[in-house]
């Protein structure tokens, strides 16, 4: 009996007392709850982290600091103006005016006739500067004349093309151009020396301009545009076909060549791209024969 009691006593001594076990058992649910909560919290943090990461991406995409600056019409013109492949042509173009005695003398005489106000410039049929690189190249050339030959041009440049949109006209105004609101169809009569910047226009526009100033003011008109001399040569087959019969195109070209017999062709041999060639090839300076 005593041994049995002794064994029980030993067992009781090795195991946790009943009272202590009850105390620990009270904390078990709390520990389980804490573990579960920590897992939930951890997984929740992961979700939050993922959401924050996604939000950060969205914010960075929407932030102006991460957006590309939109290309403007003005910047497109400037890009065309600074294209390396165009620069040799621009240099030759300016050198021709400055270094060709006949051209330089004519411009000097025209400037002197303005009594110090210099020469105006009018641009017709430039085309869409937003959608056509060819038009932007031609506009760049007009700006080059204004900036580099300020002893000739007074900086007052008027421009019109019926194809220009309200947006394009607004940009041109911001760039310092005076946008004309009326379609003159080339029929501008001038009372002082004026350069008409009309690259690759249709023949009737040139004819309208010449006829409007034919009587007394043609000496004030300088045209930068298509080569009338080349047109005349190209139209020889058509002229022979009509054999003396009236042809508005042939008659118009003959009229232009007769009234603007002082023609100086622009050198475009340095151009390589098809767009640049389309913009600047077969162009000439035209001075009246009066």
């Amino acid at each position: 009996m005593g041994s049995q009691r002794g064994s029980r006593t030993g067992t009781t001594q090795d195991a946790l007392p009943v009272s202590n076990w009850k105390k620990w058992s009270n904390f078990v649910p709390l520990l389980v709850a804490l573990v579960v909560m920590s897992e939930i919290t951890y997984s929740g943090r992961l979700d939050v982290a993922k959401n924050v990461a996604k939000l950060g991406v969205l914010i960075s995409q929407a932030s102006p600091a991460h957006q590309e600056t939109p290309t403007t019409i003005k910047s497109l013109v400037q890009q065309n103006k600074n294209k390396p492949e165009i620069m040799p042509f621009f240099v030759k173009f300016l050198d021709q005016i400055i270094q060709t005695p006949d051209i330089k003398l004519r411009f000097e005489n025209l400037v002197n006739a303005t009594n110090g106000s210099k020469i105006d410039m009018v641009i017709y049929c430039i085309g869409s500067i937003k959608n056509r690189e060819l038009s932007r190249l031609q506009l760049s050339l007009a700006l080059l004349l204004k900036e580099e030959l300020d002893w000739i041009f007074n900086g007052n440049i008027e421009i019109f093309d019926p194809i220009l949109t309200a947006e394009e006209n607004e940009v041109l105004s911001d760039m310092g151009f005076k946008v004309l609101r009326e379609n003159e169809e080339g029929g501008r009569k001038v009372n002082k020396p004026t350069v008409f910047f009309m690259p690759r226009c249709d023949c009737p526009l040139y004819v309208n301009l010449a006829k409007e100033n034919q009587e007394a003011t043609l000496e004030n008109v300088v045209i930068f545009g298509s080569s009338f001399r080349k047109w005349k040569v190209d139209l020889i087959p058509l002229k022979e076909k009509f054999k003396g019969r009236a042809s508005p195109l042939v008659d118009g070209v003959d009229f232009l060549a007769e009234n603007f017999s002082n023609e100086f062709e622009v050198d475009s041999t340095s151009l390589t791209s098809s767009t640049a060639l389309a913009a600047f090839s077969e162009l000439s300076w035209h001075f009246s024969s009066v």
Side-chain angles (χ1 to χ4, degrees):
M1 294 288 296
S3 64
Q4 289 177 350
R5 280 197 294 266
S7 67
R8 288 193 192 102
T9 303
T11 303
T12 304
Q13 289 174 349
D14 294 337
L16 285 173
V18 175
S19 59
N20 290 338
W21 168 246
K22 287 183 179 180
K23 290 179 182 180
W24 281 104
S25 64
N26 291 333
F27 289 100
V28 172
L30 179 60
L31 290 172
V32 173
L34 288 172
V35 171
V36 173
M37 289 177 65
S38 66
E39 291 180 353
I40 293 174
T41 302
Y42 179 73
S43 62
R45 283 177 182 170
L46 288 176
D47 292 337
V48 170
K50 291 178 182 178
N51 291 334
V52 169
K54 291 179 181 178
L55 183 60
V57 171
L58 293 173
I59 291 174
S60 65
Q61 291 175 346
S63 174
H66 291 78
Q67 287 181 337
E68 293 184 2
T69 303
T71 304
T72 63
I73 297 175
K74 185 176 180 179
S75 66
L76 286 172
V77 173
Q78 194 63 37
Q79 288 171 17
N80 280 272
K81 186 178 176 183
N82 296 327
K83 280 190 171 182
E85 63 267 28
I86 302 298
M87 297 311 297
F89 168 76
F90 282 170
V91 172
K92 283 187 176 182
F93 181 80
L94 293 175
D95 285 348
Q96 182 188 29
I97 298 172
I98 298 170
Q99 298 178 9
T100 304
D102 284 345
I103 298 179
K104 184 179 180 182
L105 181 60
R106 289 175 186 280
F107 273 118
E108 286 176 346
N109 291 337
L110 289 169
V111 171
N112 292 334
T114 65
N115 296 320
S117 63
K118 301 182 185 178
I119 300 177
D120 290 337
M121 187 190 302
V122 178
I123 300 176
Y124 289 139
C125 58
I126 194 68
S128 172
I129 59 173
K130 180 178 181 179
N131 300 317
R132 298 177 73 230
E133 183 182 7
L134 183 150
S135 299
R136 293 192 293 271
L137 285 170
Q138 293 173 342
L139 189 67
S140 297
L141 187 61
L143 289 172
L144 185 77
L145 286 171
K146 172 186 173 182
E147 295 168 3
E148 300 297 329
L149 301 178
D150 56 355
W151 61 274
I152 297 178
F153 300 100
N154 60 18
N156 177 32
I157 303 181
E158 298 176 287
I159 188 168
F160 179 84
D161 192 315
I163 202 172
L164 291 170
T165 64
E167 178 191 8
E168 290 172 313
N169 284 330
E170 184 178 353
V171 171
L172 288 168
S173 295
D174 291 341
M175 293 174 67
F177 293 92
K178 180 181 179 182
V179 178
L180 301 174
R181 301 302 176 186
E182 181 182 351
N183 188 354
E184 300 171 332
E185 297 182 353
R188 164 78 70 94
K189 188 166 187 175
V190 297
N191 55 16
K192 61 169 292 188
T194 305
V195 166
F196 287 85
F197 190 91
M198 305 169 65
R200 312 192 76 81
C201 287
D202 292 334
C203 182
L205 287 175
Y206 298 121
V207 172
N208 290 346
L209 176 62
K211 286 185 174 180
E212 190 65 33
N213 294 277
Q214 187 178 12
E215 294 181 1
T217 57
L218 197 60
E219 62 183 8
N220 287 329
V221 175
V222 179
I223 296 177
F224 175 71
S226 298
S227 171
F228 303 154
R229 186 183 299 154
K230 187 177 187 307
W231 274 359
K232 191 167 183 177
V233 172
D234 291 344
L235 287 176
I236 289 176
L238 184 61
K239 193 172 185 178
E240 292 177 350
K241 179 181 178 181
F242 277 89
K243 296 179 179 179
R245 288 179 293 166
S247 168
L249 181 58
V250 171
D251 294 344
V253 171
D254 284 344
F255 173 77
L256 291 170
E258 179 182 348
N259 285 277
F260 291 93
S261 58
N262 299 292
E263 177 175 337
F264 302 89
E265 185 179 351
V266 173
D267 185 358
S268 60
T269 56
S270 62
L271 298 172
T272 55
S273 74
S274 57
T275 303
L277 283 168
F280 300 126
S281 62
E282 300 179 2
L283 297 179
S284 297
W285 286 104
H286 299 280
F287 298 87
S288 71
S289 56
V290 296

